[in-house]
Amino acid sequence: MQEINFMEARLIGGISLDHSPSQYEAEFINVDRNENGLYTSFHPMDSLLSHYQVNLMNTAAFVQFEISPLERLKLILAARYDHFLYDYDIHQVIISVGVAFNFTKNIDH
């Protein structure tokens, strides 16, 4: 932070570095319900729904300029630059089922 002797101005700047490794795993499940339809428990199936690992690296730099031309007024100008790097290792099964129904009589639309 640099104080400037003009209208209580100051210049602030900095950098940041964030390394956030993460992983996620999800399995298909069977859900049990009681006679009232309320969910009571679940059991994992033998299939993997999703599994991934990611390494996230974020580097950033920022600068902020503040000036107070009036006693009760402060003007702020700020900028930030972020750079993200992702390194994914994804294992995923995708199953899709679709149905389309045309509600109009004209099939061309």
Side-chain angles (χ1 to χ4, degrees):
M1 180 171 67
Q2 176 67 43
E3 297 285 340
I4 304 168
N5 291 331
F6 176 72
M7 291 194 228
E8 298 183 26
R10 63 184 185 164
L11 184 64
I12 304 167
I15 59 172
S16 69
L17 173 67
D18 175 26
H19 178 243
S20 299
S22 182
Q23 65 181 7
Y24 177 76
E25 185 170 311
E27 298 175 328
F28 286 99
I29 59 171
N30 280 326
V31 178
D32 298 325
R33 297 182 192 204
N34 65 16
E35 60 276 356
N36 296 324
L38 298 175
Y39 298 109
T40 58
S41 65
F42 68 92
H43 306 284
M45 298 172 63
D46 61 353
S47 306
L48 188 63
L49 175 63
S50 180
H51 173 73
Y52 69 83
Q53 294 177 326
V54 62
N55 280 311
L56 166 64
M57 177 70 75
N58 171 229
T59 54
F62 68 93
V63 63
Q64 178 173 315
F65 178 71
E66 299 178 359
I67 191 166
S68 186
L70 302 172
E71 184 179 342
R72 297 176 59 194
L73 176 67
K74 181 186 287 187
L75 303 175
I76 302 167
L77 176 65
R80 179 180 169 112
Y81 172 79
D82 283 277
H83 183 249
F84 292 95
L85 290 173
Y86 296 91
D87 181 15
Y88 277 103
D89 184 13
I90 301 174
H91 305 276
Q92 189 168 11
V93 175
I94 299 174
I95 300 170
S96 296
V97 176
V99 175
F101 183 81
N102 187 347
F103 287 97
T104 64
K105 291 182 182 178
N106 188 344
I107 272 185
D108 293 334
H109 294 354

